[in-house]
Amino acid sequence: MCRRCGNCCTRFGVCVTPFDIVRIAGETGLKPEDFLDIVPDFENRERTEPAILIDGAKYLLVLKRKRNEICIFYSETRNGCSIYASRPMLCRTYPFFVRNKKLVNVQSRACIECWQPCSPEKERYILDFKQYEQNISKYKKIAEQWNMKGGGSFKEFLRFISKSK
Ligand code: SF4
Ligand code: SF4
C-alpha cells in the first residue's frame, strides 16, 4: 500500500491539464497563475502531456514548486496534500497506468516499495486513469491549436486555455 511518505510530492514537477486547473482554481479560489509554472520540455520523458510553445520554445505545464522541488500544495507541517480532494489526475493515479484493464505499477523511483492497492481503491485508480487519459487527449488538441498559431506568452496561454475547455 501507499506509505504516505510524500516523496512523490517533493521530488518532481507535477504535470497538469486544463481540467486539473479548472478544478483546483474552483475549489481553492486561487488564480491559475498563482499555482502554475512551466518547465522546458525534455527528451525521453515519461509523461504524455503535450508540450506547449511559449515565447518560441517548448515547455510543459506543471504545478509551481517551493524550494527543492516541493509541490506548492504540499503541507510540510501536516505532511500531506493541502488540496487532496481537487489534486491533479497525475497525483490521483500515481504511480500507476492501466494496461489491458489491469493496474500496472510504474515502479516509481519515489516509492519506498512497489505496491498495489486493494479493492475498492483499485477500481477507483482504474476509473481515474481512464479520466486522466481522456483529459490528456483533449489537452493535446488544445495544445495543437495553440502551437499551430505559433504560441505566445505564458499569460496568453492561460487566457487561451480558459476559453478552450
Ligand atoms: S497536488 Fe497534492 S498530491 Fe499532488 S504533488 Fe502536490 S501535494 Fe502532492
Ligand atoms: S512516493 Fe509512493 S509510497 Fe510515497 S506517497 Fe507517493 S505513491 Fe505513496
Side-chain angles (χ1 to χ4, degrees), residues 8-162:
C8 52
C9 306
T10 55
R11 295 190 180 183
F12 315 113
V14 174
C15 285
V16 288
T17 72
F19 307 93
D20 293 319
I21 298 167
V22 170
R23 190 174 57 255
I24 294 170
E27 294 193 26
T28 62
L30 292 170
K31 291 185 194 146
E33 53 267 41
D34 294 336
F35 60 86
L36 291 176
D37 202 357
I38 46 172
V39 293
D41 189 21
F42 57 96
E43 282 187 12
N44 302 323
R45 59 181 160 90
E46 292 165 2
R47 311 300 340 155
T48 58
E49 280 83 352
I52 47 169
L53 270 180
I54 302 291
D55 298 330
K58 286 183 177 176
Y59 286 90
L60 298 174
L61 191 59
V62 295
L63 289 182
K64 270 187 182 171
R65 288 164 284 174
K66 301 188 256 187
R67 62 188 161 75
N68 301 333
E69 305 291 338
I70 299 172
C71 173
I72 188 173
F73 293 119
Y74 186 73
S75 165
E76 291 167 82
T77 47
R78 286 190 288 130
N79 212 25
C81 179
S82 60
I83 57 156
Y84 192 77
S86 54
R87 69 199 186 286
M89 296 310 290
L90 170 53
C91 308
R92 281 164 201 265
T93 53
Y94 196 83
F96 302 106
F97 65 92
V98 174
R99 184 180 289 152
N100 298 329
K101 298 185 181 170
K102 292 222 165 73
L103 205 57
V104 181
N105 191 304
V106 299
Q107 311 251 332
S108 155
R109 280 166 286 132
C111 292
I112 294 162
E113 62 196 1
C114 189
W115 61 278
Q116 279 279 335
C118 301
S119 291
E121 210 188 352
K122 187 179 242 175
E123 287 70 34
R124 183 74 260 159
Y125 271 103
I126 291 173
L127 282 175
D128 281 344
F129 192 84
K130 202 172 163 192
Q131 179 72 58
Y132 186 25
E133 281 191 315
Q134 286 170 358
N135 289 358
I136 288 178
S137 161
K138 287 182 191 163
Y139 181 27
K140 280 181 177 167
K141 287 184 185 145
I142 294 169
E144 201 179 313
Q145 285 170 13
W146 167 259
N147 292 341
M148 287 279 282
K149 74 171 197 67
S153 69
F154 184 37
K155 245 183 183 173
E156 286 165 340
F157 177 71
L158 293 181
R159 271 203 300 274
F160 181 80
I161 58 173
S162 73

Side-chain angles (χ1 to χ4, degrees), residues 2-8 94-95 110-111 115:
C2 172
R3 297 276 209 97
R4 310 276 181 231
C5 64
N7 286 347
C8 52
Y94 196 83
C111 292
W115 61 278

